[in-house]
Amino acid sequence: MFVTYSMEAVLTRKEQIEKTATALFKRKGYTATSMRDLANALGIEAASIYSHIRSKEEILQRVCFKMADEFFDALDAAESMAGPATVRLQRAIAAHVQVLTQNTEASAVFLHEWRHLSEPLHSNFLALRDKYEARFREIIREGIQRGEFSVPDEKFAVLTILSALNWIHTWYKPEGKMTPTEIAENLSEMLLNGLRN
Amino acid sequence: MFVTYSMEAVLTRKEQIEKTATALFKRKGYTATSMRDLANALGIEAASIYSHIRSKEEILQRVCFKMADEFFDALDAAESMAGPATVRLQRAIAAHVQVLTQNTEASAVFLHEWRHLSEPLHSNFLALRDKYEARFREIIREGIQRGEFSVPDEKFAVLTILSALNWIHTWYKPEGKMTPTEIAENLSEMLLNGLRN
DNA sequence: TAAATTTGCTAACGAACGTTAGGTTGTGTA
DNA sequence: TACACAACCTAACGTTCGTTAGCAAATTTA
């Protein structure tokens, strides 16, 4: 059914639609992207999209929850090895950065467009996000207990760390001078040891 | 014309509209907020709003550029005194946090909704933002030259610092346990000296 | 008291929106 | 060769959108 001789991954039509939609959602936002915009980017009519998806929100839902899965999977892998909190935090940061840089468009949707999900998806999503942040809080808490870290409030620390990381998708380009690994290392260095010489 | 016995600032009708709109823009986004939503929040009809403003975009424009002014004014005041880069960065961070916490709703609009401005406002806004970031880059550059800071890339450092700060508007509440000053101090401490004990 | 201004209303406009119904075409499978 | 199905079409639906026109009432100013 699918025959290709290029190196590119073979996408089903539905995946193509999702990918194109994700790019538009990042550039213009979910609400400001019309189905006619999406159709135009795909080179077809708006009505034709409904042969492949049920609704506009279905696209948003799939992108948001797929990315949530990716962040959790990466974090699971990062936390699979034991070690001091400092190292675990470095690994968690590196995992987060890897997912962010691997797909900046889906990341942007994941970070900013989820709020247009209707209930109960909206609540489900927020619950997942909180679970994810809790994993980071747990690392920070352990680091404080073991005397590795010195922060006034672990929730505050986690929000600051994640917000420092979550800006990457706005400027990262694969052809840039820093690789995702280098970005993660620099961020870990800044967040753990600070700017100070 | 305006007589009031309360402590609240007296707002013109236009300012009331802007304030209400700003709250909605933060909660639902500019595009997802209709003029009828705004009218409903004000207790009037949508058409009545046009006695006070020219268009929906005028509101967005005013909020975005007013906040830009506030950020620049605060940074001007913070940089009016000389000193080592470390201290100047601390002051600049404190100024930025003050503006963010003083008006979290307008800050959210400033940070996220500006992209819905049409040309040439869109370009003007981006130019202002870049000018603002350049002021921070200058501080970092000096800090590196004087040996106060040790970072691989000043642009990278500034983006990381600002993105760490710009998340505040999502969780800050005036009745919370940290004052804006304490938040600024904790953030300066984290960014300058890191998490490490 | 008269004039000007502010603030709001109802009714309606044309455009854009997400989506559905029903039909056509081409392609891989039985 | 017949059939199923994926992919896309045209046409249209009911709704919502930002905005305008024209008017009425209240309030402030002269």
Side-chain angles (χ1 to χ4, degrees):
Chain A
M1 187 176 188
F2 295 116
V3 180
T4 182
Y5 298 101
S6 83
M7 303 265 294
E8 308 240 331
V10 181
L11 300 182
T12 64
R13 203 66 181 107
K14 185 165 183 174
E15 287 166 341
Q16 286 176 34
I17 291 170
E18 273 177 31
K19 192 178 173 184
T20 307
T22 303
L24 288 172
F25 291 171
K26 177 179 182 183
R27 180 152 19 106
K28 323 205 321 175
Y30 172 75
T31 313
T33 301
S34 72
M35 293 302 279
R36 285 165 179 86
D37 287 338
L38 174 55
N40 189 54
L42 289 161
I44 59 176
E45 293 298 317
S48 305
I49 300 173
Y50 289 86
S51 296
H52 306 91
I53 59 150
R54 251 184 298 275
S55 67
K56 186 185 177 188
E57 193 180 350
E58 188 198 335
I59 305 177
L60 179 62
Q61 179 216 134
R62 287 172 61 96
V63 175
C64 286
F65 286 90
K66 203 190 298 166
M67 285 308 289
D69 279 347
E70 287 201 29
F71 279 109
F72 271 106
D73 288 348
L75 186 54
D76 286 344
E79 289 204 287
S80 65
M81 288 175 287
T86 305
V87 175
R88 287 175 59 210
L89 182 58
Q90 282 172 331
R91 290 208 193 104
I93 288 173
H96 192 84
V97 171
Q98 278 295 335
V99 176
L100 276 178
T101 52
Q102 220 135 74
N103 194 342
T104 59
E105 289 170 346
S107 293
V109 174
F110 172 85
L111 291 169
H112 300 302
E113 306 302 327
W114 55 267
R115 62 189 177 140
H116 297 112
L117 291 168
S118 57
E119 292 295 349
L121 295 174
H122 188 271
S123 296
N124 294 157
F125 183 90
L126 279 179
L128 277 179
R129 199 182 68 164
D130 187 59
K131 239 174 85 180
Y132 187 73
E133 289 174 4
R135 298 269 294 269
F136 275 80
R137 283 198 292 275
E138 188 51 41
I139 299 177
I140 302 289
R141 191 180 304 133
E142 265 194 45
I144 295 173
Q145 279 176 2
R146 296 192 191 185
E148 292 179 52
F149 300 150
S150 151
V151 275
D153 183 273
E154 67 215 27
K155 188 163 185 181
F156 176 81
V158 168
L159 288 175
T160 303
I161 291 169
L162 288 178
S163 68
L165 305 185
N166 287 341
W167 208 247
I168 297 177
H169 71 87
T170 63
W171 57 264
Y172 173 75
K173 296 267 159 43
E175 65 273 19
K177 56 182 171 182
M178 271 194 259
T179 66
T181 307
E182 285 169 343
I183 292 170
E185 281 167 4
N186 285 332
L187 282 167
S188 278
E189 170 64 20
M190 258 192 82
L191 293 166
L192 284 166
N193 300 324
L195 288 169
R196 262 220 180 93
N197 200 344
Chain B
M1 185 178 186
F2 296 115
V3 179
T4 182
Y5 297 102
S6 83
M7 303 265 293
E8 308 240 333
V10 180
L11 300 181
T12 65
R13 201 69 180 106
K14 185 164 183 175
E15 287 166 340
Q16 286 176 34
I17 291 170
E18 272 176 33
K19 193 178 171 183
T20 307
T22 304
L24 288 172
F25 290 172
K26 178 182 180 180
R27 183 158 8 110
K28 322 205 319 174
Y30 172 75
T31 312
T33 301
S34 72
M35 292 303 278
R36 285 163 179 87
D37 286 339
L38 174 56
N40 190 53
L42 289 161
I44 60 175
E45 293 298 317
S48 306
I49 299 174
Y50 289 86
S51 297
H52 305 91
I53 59 151
R54 251 183 297 276
S55 67
K56 186 185 177 187
E57 192 180 351
E58 189 198 335
I59 306 177
L60 179 63
Q61 179 215 133
R62 289 172 61 95
V63 175
C64 286
F65 286 90
K66 202 191 299 165
M67 285 307 289
D69 279 346
E70 289 202 28
F71 278 108
F72 272 106
D73 288 348
L75 185 55
D76 287 343
E79 289 205 287
S80 65
M81 288 174 287
T86 305
V87 174
R88 287 175 58 211
L89 183 59
Q90 281 172 331
R91 289 206 194 105
I93 289 173
H96 193 84
V97 171
Q98 278 295 334
V99 177
L100 276 179
T101 52
Q102 220 135 72
N103 194 344
T104 58
E105 287 170 346
S107 293
V109 174
F110 172 86
L111 291 169
H112 300 301
E113 305 302 328
W114 56 266
R115 63 189 179 139
H116 297 111
L117 290 169
S118 56
E119 291 298 348
L121 295 174
H122 188 272
S123 297
N124 295 157
F125 183 90
L126 279 178
L128 277 180
R129 198 182 69 164
D130 188 58
K131 239 174 83 181
Y132 187 74
E133 289 174 5
R135 299 269 294 269
F136 275 81
R137 282 198 292 274
E138 188 50 42
I139 299 177
I140 302 287
R141 192 180 304 135
E142 264 194 47
I144 295 172
Q145 279 176 2
R146 297 193 191 185
E148 293 178 53
F149 300 149
S150 151
V151 276
D153 183 273
E154 67 216 24
K155 188 164 185 180
F156 176 81
V158 168
L159 288 175
T160 304
I161 291 170
L162 287 178
S163 69
L165 305 186
N166 286 340
W167 208 246
I168 297 177
H169 71 87
T170 62
W171 57 264
Y172 172 74
K173 296 267 157 46
E175 65 271 21
K177 57 182 172 183
M178 271 195 258
T179 66
T181 306
E182 285 169 345
I183 292 171
E185 282 167 4
N186 285 332
L187 282 168
S188 278
E189 170 65 21
M190 257 190 82
L191 292 167
L192 284 166
N193 299 322
L195 289 169
R196 264 218 178 97
N197 200 345

